[in-house]
């Protein structure tokens, strides 16, 4: 499995214009809004018991989240889609996002139609149903830079396991009544 590197992040950046265009083109009369969020994750974790490391590991993936608003009967409702992709799937992110937009749109349309139908069928209950509205602010299109003193990619799983073990030792040293950490 390739490691999360600047190259992977750069490959995702290459698809930014495609994703923006895809979300922008998706707008239709019954779909007033769609957004796509992409996240690159490189995480290391470990756990320890009573000062002894037990397990350490890492995971690397891309996450794609999509939100769509659909309108029916004067009410807007959301539809969502999300996926976790392997790091090697960066080149296919546009195609996966297009598939996800279609699924999220169908879910949103269904929710909007069901909300409108419930409002008609159950007037007392229906009056409590509100349209899903977003704040009237300009959409923000940005990349959030990772900020850190030590590059997480440079920290080995062994160091993470050692830190977890040290944390349990410190917890045990706080009070003699603590017998398990």
């Amino acid at each position: 499995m390739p490691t999360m590197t600047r190259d992977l992040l750069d490959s995702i950046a290459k698809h930014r214009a495609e994703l923006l265009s895809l979300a922008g083109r998706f707008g239709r009369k019954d779909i007033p809004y769609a957004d796509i969020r992409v996240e690159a994750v490189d995480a290391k974790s470990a756990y320890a018991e009573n000062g002894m490391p037990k397990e350490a590991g890492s995971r690397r993936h891309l996450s794609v989240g999509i939100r769509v608003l659909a309108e029916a009967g004067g009410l807007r409702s959301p539809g969502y889609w999300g996926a976790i992709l392997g790091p090697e799937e960066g080149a296919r992110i546009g195609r996966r996002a297009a598939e996800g937009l279609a699924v999220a749109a169908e879910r949103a349309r269904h929710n909007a139609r069901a909300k409108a139908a419930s409002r008609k069928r159950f007037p007392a209950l229906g009056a409590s149903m509100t349209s899903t509205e977003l704040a009237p602010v300009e959409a923000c299109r940005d990349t959030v830079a990772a900020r850190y003193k030590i590059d997480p990619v440079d920290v080995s799983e062994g160091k993470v396991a050692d830190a977890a073990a040290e944390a349990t030792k410190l917890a045990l040293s706080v009070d003699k009544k603590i017998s398990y950490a």
Side-chain angles (χ1 to χ4, degrees):
M1 173 184 289
T3 60
M4 190 70 68
T5 65
R6 300 266 184 261
D7 293 342
L8 178 60
L9 297 175
D10 290 344
S11 77
I12 295 168
K14 290 177 188 175
H15 296 280
R16 181 180 173 155
E18 176 187 7
L19 295 171
L20 286 170
S21 173
L22 187 61
R25 287 191 325 257
F26 202 76
R28 298 183 177 106
K29 185 178 180 182
D30 67 329
I31 305 285
Y33 180 84
D35 68 43
I36 301 170
R37 294 165 310 285
V38 179
E39 176 184 39
V41 175
D42 186 355
K44 293 185 176 97
S45 61
Y47 76 89
E49 292 178 2
N50 294 331
M52 297 298 295
K54 292 293 184 182
E55 185 175 319
S58 62
R59 67 181 201 283
R60 297 171 176 87
H61 65 266
L62 304 172
S63 298
V64 180
I66 294 174
R67 173 178 54 176
V68 170
L69 293 182
E71 191 166 331
L75 294 170
R76 289 182 178 179
S77 291
Y80 301 96
W81 178 87
I84 296 176
L85 311 175
E88 65 283 351
E89 293 184 88
R92 294 190 297 269
I93 203 163
R95 187 178 77 230
R96 293 297 307 273
E99 294 166 1
L101 275 166
V103 171
E106 186 52 39
R107 289 173 178 170
R109 284 185 189 107
H110 175 79
N111 289 342
R113 286 189 301 260
K115 191 184 281 188
S118 294
R119 201 178 232 191
K120 286 180 184 175
R121 185 171 177 192
F122 307 105
L125 172 64
S128 69
M129 293 184 197
T130 60
S131 185
T132 301
E133 301 296 334
L134 300 178
V137 296
E138 186 177 336
C140 177
R141 295 178 179 108
D142 201 0
T143 299
V144 178
R147 295 178 190 213
Y148 40 77
K149 290 181 181 179
I150 300 170
D151 188 338
V153 173
D154 295 336
V155 180
S156 70
E157 290 177 13
K159 282 187 178 183
V160 175
D162 290 344
E166 184 60 27
T168 62
K169 287 178 187 176
L170 290 171
L172 289 168
S173 72
V174 169
D175 191 309
K176 292 184 193 261
K177 293 178 185 175
I178 299 173
S179 61
Y180 180 80

